[in-house]
């Protein structure tokens, strides 16, 4: 049921597609999609609860990646992660990938600083 809920939202599917190639900081994901921090937090929480993503914290940054199949909860999660990794995704995925390329060239500290100014 958690996987179904996680994959029922197009925004969460797009997050998974963005994570299929590499680990990303929450600031980079937020920059990519432009979601409010509370919305991003909820999306990431649902994906994490479903066993589709994993996180690690370094200093003040939290980085997310697709869950490794061995860590994903249950056979169903492993199957979905495999499908997502191979999927071209929705039409927005191509534009997301282009934007992500630009975001990855930006300074991570500057992205985080800019986002903090928006919500502070």
């Amino acid at each position: 049921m958690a996987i179904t809920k996680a994959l029922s939202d197009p925004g969460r599917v797009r997050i998974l597609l963005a994570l299929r190639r590499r680990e990303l900081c929450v600031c980079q994901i937020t920059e990519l999609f432009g979601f409010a921090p509370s919305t991003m937090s909820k999306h990431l929480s649902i994906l994490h609860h479903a066993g589709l993503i994993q996180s690690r914290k370094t200093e003040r940054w939290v980085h997310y990646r697709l869950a490794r199949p061995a860590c994903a909860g249950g056979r169903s999660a492993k199957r979905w992660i495999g499908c997502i990794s191979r999927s071209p995704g929705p039409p927005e995925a191509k534009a997301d990938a282009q934007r992500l390329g630009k975001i990855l060239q930006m300074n991570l500290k500057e992205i985080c600083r800019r986002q903090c100014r928006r919500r502070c």
Side-chain angles (χ1 to χ4, degrees), residues 34-98:
F35 295 146
S38 60
T39 302
M40 183 56 66
S41 178
K42 183 66 176 173
H43 283 318
L44 293 171
S45 174
I46 290 169
L47 291 168
H48 191 269
H49 178 71
L52 296 173
I53 62 172
Q54 295 176 304
S55 64
R56 71 175 177 87
K57 186 169 182 166
T58 57
E59 299 177 24
R60 64 180 182 170
W61 292 287
V62 180
H63 301 268
Y64 288 91
R65 66 183 176 276
L66 289 180
R68 289 185 214 109
C71 300
R75 189 173 293 201
S76 185
K78 292 177 195 176
R79 188 180 78 232
W80 280 110
I81 290 170
C83 289
I84 288 164
S85 296
R86 293 184 301 273
S87 169
E92 299 94 348
K94 186 174 181 179
D96 291 345
Q98 291 172 342

Side-chain angles (χ1 to χ4, degrees), residues 24-35:
L24 296 171
C25 174
V26 69
C27 296
Q28 293 168 314
I29 301 168
T30 303
E31 184 76 14
L32 176 60
F33 296 107
F35 295 146

